[in-house]
Amino acid sequence: MSLLGPSGSGKSTLLNLLAGIDLPDAGTIQVEGRIIGELTEKERTLFRRRHIGFVFQFFNLIPTLTVEENLLLPLELNGQLGMEPRQDAFNLLESIGLGNRRHSFPEQLSGGEQQRLAIARAVVHRPLLLLADEPTGNLDAATGERILELLLDLHRRSGATVILVTHSRDIAARAGRTLYLDSGQIREIRP
Ligand SMILES: Nc1ncnc2c1ncn2[C@@H]1O[C@H](COP(=O)(O)OP(=O)(O)OP(=O)(O)O)[C@@H](O)[C@H]1O
Ligand SMILES: [Mg+2]
């Protein structure tokens, strides 16, 4: 699903709510049958860690960790850092063109490279729900296309729900559904 809407309309806020990072003043949010607002903060953290992948608009990479350490962090936190997941993670790093940057720190990467790392980190633990906030905003057309394919592939292979915020009608049109958020109203459109 893609989510369009003017700057300041609340797209990032909506993703934060879906991930349980923020809590709504009214209404409830259900993900996988769980009402997010009824979980304790610790339960929300564990739920997010295991089931949600989040590509933040401003990446939120950890500056003191290398590329490799940033990438493997979700697996490590979930106790999933066996040989096979580790190899899969390195293959993923190769596939996004960062195989030779394993030991660099985020500040040594370009904006587009940081964005690609943020995307890899969000999918490395194969989440049920992937929330991606303008994930191709800093990428050239060809790289953006590769990244989009990676996200769509997660949906095709594991059935994950992908919610993609974008300002591009072309990218929005690649999703099965498109929602438009403006002035507190959300509606379905055909991009
Ligand atoms: N931490 C905050 N405290 C108070 N207001 C905030 C906060 N974060 C965002 N807002 C406000 O909430 C509104 C929605 O912001 P949000 O970041 O969700 O917009 P957006 O649709 O993601 O915009 P953009 O396309 O520019 O990223 C804006 O008016 C913004 O000023
Ligand atoms: Mg935003």
Side-chain angles (χ1 to χ4, degrees):
M1 194 184 87
S2 53
L3 179 61
L4 289 162
S7 179
S9 59
K11 303 180 298 299
S12 297
T13 302
L14 183 60
L15 296 195
N16 285 342
L17 288 166
L18 295 177
I21 295 169
D22 291 334
L23 291 174
D25 297 313
T28 56
I29 294 171
Q30 279 191 46
V31 180
E32 279 287 303
R34 293 175 189 77
I35 298 176
I36 299 295
E38 289 179 355
L39 303 178
T40 63
E41 190 171 344
K42 182 161 186 204
E43 287 168 337
R44 285 206 309 277
T45 301
L46 291 175
F47 179 72
R48 188 161 56 236
R49 187 195 275 176
R50 180 135 334 242
H51 298 302
I52 294 182
F54 205 129
V55 184
F56 293 94
Q57 189 167 10
F58 303 106
F59 315 144
N60 292 8
L61 297 169
I62 298 177
T64 51
L65 299 183
T66 63
V67 165
E68 173 178 314
E69 289 163 347
N70 266 285
L71 177 69
L72 297 179
L73 190 62
L75 295 174
E76 196 173 341
L77 291 173
N78 283 325
Q80 299 170 325
L81 203 51
M83 280 304 280
E84 205 176 314
R86 186 184 283 264
Q87 191 54 52
D88 287 348
F90 290 143
N91 293 342
L92 179 63
L93 206 56
E94 288 289 344
S95 76
I96 58 165
L98 291 181
N100 59 352
R101 306 303 302 271
R102 274 164 65 166
H103 304 298
S104 302
F105 287 92
E107 67 171 21
Q108 298 170 318
L109 304 180
S110 73
E113 288 170 338
Q114 290 181 31
Q115 186 155 46
R116 281 181 270 153
L117 174 57
I119 290 159
R121 183 185 59 175
V123 301
V124 73
H125 58 304
R126 306 196 182 179
L128 290 170
L129 177 60
L130 179 72
L131 305 169
D133 206 344
E134 299 187 39
T136 57
N138 291 275
L139 304 178
D140 61 86
T143 311
E145 180 57 33
R146 280 220 310 280
I147 291 298
L148 198 59
E149 268 307 312
L150 199 122
L151 300 182
L152 294 174
D153 199 50
L154 184 76
H155 168 67
R156 286 191 290 253
R157 282 201 307 185
S158 66
T161 297
V162 178
I163 302 183
L164 184 80
V165 170
T166 180
H167 286 289
S168 155
R169 295 242 162 192
D170 288 341
I171 290 175
R174 303 283 291 279
R177 295 178 66 189
T178 300
L179 299 184
Y180 188 79
L181 181 63
D182 192 16
S183 309
Q185 301 290 322
I186 201 161
R187 61 192 163 88
E188 185 149 9
I189 59 164
R190 292 186 177 280

